[in-house]
Amino acid sequence: MRKLNGKLLKYNIAIFISGRGSNLQSIINYSLKNKTNYNVKIVISNKQKAKGLSIAKKNGIKNYFMNFTKSRKLGNLVLNDLKKNKIKLVCLAGFMRILPDYFIKSYNGKIINIHPSLLPKYKGLNTHKRVIKNKEKFTGCTVHYVNKYLDSGRIISQKKIKINSKDTEKTIEKKVLKIEHKIYPLTINKILTNL
Ligand code: GRF
């Protein structure tokens, strides 16, 4: 844990979202606990109506909508903002766009994502539907580094759950989301501990 004059110093992180923001909420909740080493400093959404923006607002966290993946000019504005705010880690939480190459390079190794499957299986969308169709016995979630390929960067952590015969897409989504909310904040904390 970093300290200055006996005071705990927290690393600033940014969260990118596109929608509901339940992972954002769990990351904020964890950051408010004792002895966590990060502080959610900025929340950026590429969708204007993302519910997650109001979660950020309610928690007094700087937040804004910017569809920055479409334009280099906007992308550079975001990068400058991240640097200005000393962001150590960017966490994608339900962010539904692939980040441009220049963006990933300039934050190299400092962008992570959570995906609702046991990667490398089931990259992309509709993971739970495909898991059921293929009669998988297990599924779960994965936190991984972001590279230029979809859901393909180095795996950092994973958590597994069992699928039973009564499970549906909905029940699996609920169970997986529950473990996402546990594993994501812990993984962020762990990465920053090792910085
Ligand atoms: C989560 O299932 C996450 O794994 C996936 O998108 C969903 C986002 O949910 N990438 P929320 O916006 O955090 O509630």
Side-chain angles (χ1 to χ4, degrees):
M1 195 65 72
R2 290 191 316 157
K3 282 187 177 172
L4 183 67
N5 300 331
K7 242 186 99 185
L8 202 65
L9 277 182
K10 294 201 174 205
Y11 292 110
N12 290 338
I13 67 168
I15 316 284
F16 290 0
I17 58 165
S18 300
R20 178 177 54 187
S22 69
N23 276 288
L24 166 67
Q25 183 73 71
S26 73
I27 293 166
I28 296 172
N29 291 349
Y30 193 78
S31 76
L32 300 175
K33 288 187 179 177
N34 267 345
K35 292 192 177 162
T36 45
N37 60 12
Y38 67 86
N39 174 38
V40 181
K41 185 81 177 171
I42 313 176
V43 174
I44 303 174
S45 171
N46 68 329
K47 293 269 183 230
Q48 193 157 20
K49 292 195 171 145
K51 249 181 85 187
L53 284 173
S54 58
I55 296 176
K57 204 168 165 193
K58 233 182 261 165
N59 284 275
I61 298 166
K62 173 178 176 175
N63 66 89
Y64 54 93
F65 150 69
M66 196 183 269
N67 197 358
F68 66 91
T69 57
K70 288 269 170 70
S71 129
R72 178 97 190 212
K73 204 171 145 199
L74 294 182
N76 283 337
L77 280 182
V78 169
L79 283 171
N80 283 339
D81 198 23
L82 298 180
K83 280 172 192 152
K84 202 174 82 197
N85 283 283
K86 300 192 168 58
I87 299 299
K88 283 278 181 227
L89 193 69
V90 174
C91 309
L92 312 186
F95 184 69
M96 304 304 280
R97 284 259 162 230
I98 293 189
L99 290 171
D101 219 12
Y102 71 88
F103 197 100
I104 295 172
K105 276 193 186 127
S106 73
Y107 246 80
N108 205 9
K110 296 189 191 86
I111 307 179
I112 62 173
N113 179 43
I114 188 153
H115 182 76
S117 80
L118 294 171
L119 288 174
K121 286 177 114 177
Y122 303 104
K123 296 173 183 173
L125 296 174
N126 302 318
T127 54
H128 307 315
K129 198 177 185 170
R130 289 184 282 146
V131 155
I132 289 201
K133 194 168 168 238
N134 290 343
K135 298 189 171 32
E136 295 282 359
K137 298 255 181 298
F138 296 93
T139 187
C141 62
T142 305
V143 181
H144 63 94
Y145 285 106
V146 170
N147 64 16
K148 64 176 172 177
Y149 304 106
L150 180 69
D151 302 324
S152 296
R154 183 158 68 80
I155 291 171
I156 310 163
S157 60
Q158 267 181 335
K159 206 162 168 66
K160 204 168 163 181
I161 58 156
K162 208 168 174 330
I163 298 174
N164 62 52
S165 56
K166 288 194 185 126
D167 272 321
T168 62
E169 214 182 308
K170 275 254 163 315
T171 62
I172 292 180
E173 189 195 343
K174 210 169 156 197
K175 286 184 197 173
V176 170
L177 208 52
K178 201 168 164 194
I179 56 171
E180 287 184 37
H181 295 163
K182 289 207 172 119
I183 195 177
Y184 210 8
L186 287 174
T187 305
I188 293 168
N189 204 71
K190 198 165 166 201
I191 292 172
L192 293 169
T193 303
N194 296 331
L195 268 190

